[in-house]
DNA sequence: TGTATAGTGATACACTGTCTCAGTTTCGGG
DNA sequence: CCCGAAACTGAGACAGTGTATCACTATACA
């Protein structure tokens, strides 16, 4: 696994460390930007052609459940997977130019959601924001 | 077309009114909640089995371009299509219990996005929020 | 009514994702 | 270090989403 922290979080979630999961994490670490499922399959197949597609999806699911990977929406509306330093659920700004992402601190999001809940009598269970644009270095 | 307003907006966008597009709008009007592409295809096929799948997708694209239909994310992450009273791009709260949606006024969203832009030197081109939870009447 | 052009249906294709099932691997305990 | 329960895997089938092509048709507008 990429790091001991990642390893521990997988084990803590009752999940096992396998060769295949290593490959998926490695692919995401090398990219340092969100990848489409297809890109992950291709990257993994390059170092180990025997890894099945189903395993890649299962791994992404397991990594997301452990809070290691976040599912984001790429420009064009297609889903992508992102390996994050930050732990737990959070939101991202996605640069349409360089493809990199910026973590959005929860402190910026919580007041907004609270306001929405109060204004509409709505209880938020889950939220995910797709914010696309240009990062500071791409302007 | 469902209403004269919808008809005019299609024409204003250089788009034509066809029997097939009528069926799609009717299906969405009857549902009064976001529908998956598959559900729309099924509903349309019920009243006119000769409408092709490709046409349904093209119609949804055309309706979205005219601001008549909004693409939202259903519980489970699957895409859905919603016929909105409100014109133009806006965001929604989606109730995981009854499936209905609540329009989020831009006045609630703009300050949040402006704050994000200022805090990160980011220029927002497009945003879409998936907010799932329970509406006032489902609690 | 005529006509430029937008729209259509069939079909093929690519991507995302789930499920099953028999066989394999991992991890923790003894 | 070995064992076994349980997690994991690969293959393959299946379903949904969405785009592209192309010959044909219908619409809007003058
Ligand atoms: Zn992140
Ligand atoms: Zn950038
Ligand atoms: Zn709306
Ligand atoms: Zn509700």
């Amino acid at each position: 696994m990429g790091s001991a922290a990642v390893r521990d979080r997988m084990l803590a979630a009752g999940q096992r460390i396998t060769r295949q999961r290593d490959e998926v994490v490695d692919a995401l670490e090398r990219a340092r930007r969100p990848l489409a499922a297809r890109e992950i399959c291709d990257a993994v197949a390059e170092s180990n052609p025997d890894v099945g597609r189903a395993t890649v999806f299962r791994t992404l699911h397991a990594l997301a459940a452990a809070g290691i990977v976040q599912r984001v929406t790429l420009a064009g509306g297609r889903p992508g997977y992102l390996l994050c330093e930050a732990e737990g659920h959070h939101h991202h700004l996605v640069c349409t130019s360089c493809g990199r992402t910026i973590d959005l601190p929860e402190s910026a999001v919580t007041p907004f959601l609270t306001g929405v809940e109060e204004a509409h009598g709505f209880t938020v269970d889950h939220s995910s924001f797709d914010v696309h644009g240009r990062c500071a270095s791409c302007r």
Side-chain angles (χ1 to χ4, degrees), chain A:
Chain A
M1 230 62 192
S3 68
V6 168
R7 187 192 162 88
D8 290 348
R9 279 158 82 188
M10 292 294 283
L11 293 177
Q15 295 170 342
R16 296 179 179 177
I17 312 303
T18 67
R19 204 177 60 254
Q20 293 89 339
R21 291 181 173 183
D22 251 4
E23 313 260 23
V24 172
V25 172
D26 283 350
L28 288 168
E29 267 176 354
R30 282 195 303 269
R32 288 194 299 177
R33 61 174 182 84
L35 295 181
R38 179 64 205 283
E39 294 180 291
I40 298 171
C41 288
D42 288 351
V44 167
E46 220 167 289
S47 47
N48 184 346
D50 294 335
V51 177
R53 254 168 19 88
T55 296
V56 172
F57 281 102
R58 279 184 297 228
T59 297
L60 290 171
H61 202 267
L63 290 168
I68 297 162
V69 154
Q70 305 279 329
R71 198 178 191 259
V72 299
T73 300
L74 306 177
R78 296 233 161 280
Y81 297 90
L82 175 64
L83 192 67
C84 273
E85 304 290 321
E87 301 200 9
H89 176 64
H90 59 279
H91 302 89
H92 297 91
L93 310 177
V94 181
C95 180
T96 52
S97 177
C98 65
R100 279 188 291 249
T101 60
I102 299 169
D103 284 352
L104 212 53
E106 279 301 293
S107 61
V109 175
T110 306
F112 170 67
L113 284 181
T114 304
V116 165
E117 287 188 314
E118 284 171 2
H120 296 91
F122 194 90
T123 306
V124 175
D125 288 337
H126 178 260
S127 67
S128 102
F129 300 167
D130 298 329
V131 183
H132 296 269
R134 299 205 148 218
C135 71
S137 50
C138 283
R139 283 199 289 175

